[in-house]
């Protein structure tokens, strides 16, 4: 029994100690909180809301702005053709070297034409005989020995044979394949002795000086595109800047993509631009003489538009703005700012209205 009472007594004393310890700990916490509160009240009473936030800023200065549109496009040959034969036959001669330049009208390939030449000789012989008969009939008609109808028949025979000879000459000309324009010929797909048909591809011929640059711009920029406008572009694998001029604009907007197709011509004397290449194009749209530009980092999207923070009397103030063209670094402000305003460019997420700021002006 005594042991049980001793255990109860020990438990009671332990519980009483815990209660005492907890009360003292709470009093200490309240004392610290009161001191902090009093200190805060003292700071407020002194008028200091905390140290100013250090931020970067710029002074707005109007400057000339060139609105450039960057799009992608493709390099195309100025002229391009797949060489084929109009007639069937064995290839008797190949007169070009792969990958070289050829001039307009030069002979590229010849097809066996012996049967056509024989047909032509036969036709010419018949034409000569018919011509003799027509001349004789004409003399007889003048003497009244034959009727006009008989002479007309003789003349018709002659003209029919002349037409037949011309047709055979045309067929003979088709056995010689010539370059339709000056350009560079590609890899050939035939050899001497190949049986050529109208479906057989001989080679590709392209004219690449100048080259065409084909691209599309969004519909909203269609009204700013002018004939003769200059473009600049680069291609993959080369940092060299090329230039060209717009020479053709599609007559309407593509309903599927809502874009306007455009073509420009670019000189290519060194043949550095290859048809099919990908092009990154920059097109100058217009120039604004007194544009207000600020860094993209200064813009803060909000529910109803965009705002920026400006510094007034040492404090940050919200200003709603309307923006226009954006570049990689800057954005054009169309309303909401004026020359001389100090726009805060850093610390946007930490800024609040009327927050004290210390601005470090950054030179543009």
């Amino acid at each position: 029994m005594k042991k049980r009472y001793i255990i109860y007594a020990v438990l009671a004393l332990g519980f009483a100690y815990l209660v005492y310890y907890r009360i003292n700990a709470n009093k200490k916490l309240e004392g610290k909180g009161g001191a902090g509160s009093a200190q805060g009240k003292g700071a407020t009473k002194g008028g200091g809301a905390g140290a100013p936030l250090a931020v970067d800023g710029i002074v707005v200065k109007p400057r000339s702005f060139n609105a450039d549109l960057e799009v992608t496009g493709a390099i195309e040959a100025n002229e391009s053709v797949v060489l084929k034969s109009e007639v069937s036959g064995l290839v008797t001669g190949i007169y070009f070297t792969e990958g070289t330049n050829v001039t307009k009208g030069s002979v590229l390939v010849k097809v066996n034409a012996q049967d056509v030449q024989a047909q032509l000789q036969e036709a010419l012989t018949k034409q000569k005989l018919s011509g003799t008969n027509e001349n004789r009939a004409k003399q007889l008609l003048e003497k009244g020995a034959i009727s006009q109808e008989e002479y007309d028949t003789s003349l018709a025979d002659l003209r029919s044979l002349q037409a037949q000879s011309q047709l055979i000459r045309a067929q003979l000309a088709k056995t010689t394949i010539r370059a339709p324009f000056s350009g560079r010929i590609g890899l050939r797909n035939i050899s001497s002795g190949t049986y050529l048909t109208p479906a057989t591809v001989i080679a590709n011929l392209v004219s690449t000086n100048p080259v065409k640059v084909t691209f599309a711009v969004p519909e909203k920029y269609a009204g700013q595109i002018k004939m003769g406008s200059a473009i600049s572009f680069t291609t993959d694998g080369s940092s060299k800047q090329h230039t060209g001029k717009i020479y053709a604009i599609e007559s309407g907007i593509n309903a599927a993509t809502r874009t306007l197709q455009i073509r420009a011509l670019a000189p290519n004397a060194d043949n550095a631009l290859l048809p099919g290449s990908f092009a990154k194009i920059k097109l100058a749209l217009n120039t604004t003489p007194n544009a207000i530009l600020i860094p993209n980092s200064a813009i803060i999207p909000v529910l109803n538009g965009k705002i920026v923070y400006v510094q007034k009397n040492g404090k940050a103030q919200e200003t709603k703005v309307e923006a226009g063209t954006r570049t990689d670094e800057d954005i054009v402000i169309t309303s909401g700012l004026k020359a001389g305003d100090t726009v805060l460019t850093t610390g946007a997420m930490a800024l609040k209205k009327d927050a004290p700021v210390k601005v470090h002006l950054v030179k543009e």
Side-chain angles (χ1 to χ4, degrees):
M1 290 292 292
K2 289 183 179 181
K3 288 183 179 180
R4 186 170 62 181
Y5 288 131
I6 292 173
I7 292 172
Y8 287 158
V10 172
L11 292 174
L13 289 173
F15 181 74
Y17 176 76
L18 290 174
V19 172
Y20 174 76
Y21 176 79
R22 185 64 180 172
I23 292 172
N24 283 339
N26 289 340
K27 286 182 178 180
K28 288 180 181 179
L29 289 174
E30 289 178 358
K32 289 181 179 180
S37 176
Q39 187 176 2
K41 288 180 181 178
T44 304
K45 188 175 180 179
L53 180 65
V55 294
D56 292 338
I58 62 166
V59 176
V60 174
K61 296 178 181 178
R63 54 192 172 96
S64 178
F65 172 70
N66 296 320
D68 293 331
L69 179 64
E70 294 185 0
V71 295
T72 58
I75 307 298
E76 298 178 0
N78 186 39
E79 301 290 349
S80 177
V81 67
V82 177
L83 295 172
K84 294 183 179 181
S85 173
E86 292 186 74
V87 297
S88 298
L90 291 176
V91 175
T92 58
I94 297 175
Y95 304 96
F96 68 89
T97 302
E98 298 171 283
T100 61
N101 292 322
V102 296
T103 57
K104 181 179 180 179
S106 60
V107 176
L108 303 177
V109 177
K110 281 191 175 183
V111 178
N112 182 20
Q114 290 182 356
D115 55 341
V116 182
Q117 289 174 341
Q119 293 173 20
L120 180 60
Q121 289 300 320
E122 181 183 6
L124 290 175
T125 301
K126 290 180 180 180
Q127 178 183 325
K128 184 177 180 181
L129 177 60
S130 180
T132 302
N133 292 336
E134 185 272 338
N135 186 52
R136 186 182 296 114
K138 185 177 182 180
Q139 293 176 1
L140 293 173
L141 176 65
E142 291 174 352
K143 296 177 180 179
I146 62 172
S147 65
Q148 182 68 42
E149 182 179 356
E150 289 175 309
Y151 171 74
D152 290 342
T153 301
S154 177
L155 180 61
D157 289 340
L158 173 62
R159 290 178 176 174
S160 176
L161 289 171
Q162 288 174 337
Q164 186 176 353
S165 297
Q166 290 177 353
L167 178 61
I168 296 173
R169 281 194 178 96
Q171 292 295 320
L172 183 61
K174 290 178 182 179
T175 62
T176 300
I177 301 168
R178 301 177 182 272
F181 52 81
S182 297
R184 180 178 291 270
I185 200 162
L187 306 180
R188 63 181 172 90
N189 301 309
I190 61 169
S191 301
S192 293
T194 299
Y195 186 79
L196 208 58
T197 70
T200 305
V201 174
I202 298 171
N204 293 320
L205 177 64
V206 296
S207 173
T208 57
N209 185 27
V211 292
K212 295 175 182 176
V213 185
T214 301
F215 58 97
V217 300
E219 179 182 3
K220 65 180 180 179
Y221 298 112
Q224 302 180 49
I225 307 301
K226 306 297 182 185
M227 294 286 288
S229 296
I231 67 167
S232 60
F233 62 96
T234 58
T235 58
D236 283 349
S238 173
S239 59
K240 182 179 178 180
Q241 195 85 4
H242 302 273
T243 60
K245 285 188 177 183
I246 293 175
Y247 79 95
I249 301 174
E250 186 59 82
S251 57
I253 302 294
N254 186 314
T257 61
R258 311 310 308 176
T259 58
L260 179 67
Q261 288 287 119
I262 299 170
R263 274 186 179 165
L265 281 177
N268 187 34
D270 57 357
N271 291 315
L273 299 172
L274 300 178
S277 299
F278 177 82
K280 299 175 184 177
I281 302 159
K282 182 178 288 186
L283 173 63
L285 296 178
N286 53 53
T287 300
T288 305
N290 292 305
I292 292 179
L293 282 84
I294 63 172
N296 289 320
S297 58
I299 292 288
I300 304 172
V302 294
L303 185 61
N304 296 322
K306 299 178 178 66
I307 64 168
V308 298
Y309 279 101
V310 297
Q311 184 267 132
K312 291 183 180 179
N313 300 321
K315 294 183 179 181
Q317 299 292 335
E318 290 183 2
T319 299
K320 189 172 183 180
V321 296
E322 292 183 6
T325 305
R326 182 190 295 267
T327 67
D328 291 340
E329 297 179 353
D330 299 323
I331 187 169
V332 177
I333 301 300
T334 56
S335 68
L337 293 176
K338 63 182 184 298
D341 286 344
T342 301
V343 177
L344 308 184
T345 58
T346 61
M349 302 307 296
L351 289 172
K352 294 183 179 180
K353 187 177 180 180
D354 294 326
V357 291
K358 183 178 181 180
V359 182
H360 170 252
L361 294 179
V362 178
K363 294 183 179 180
E364 295 185 79

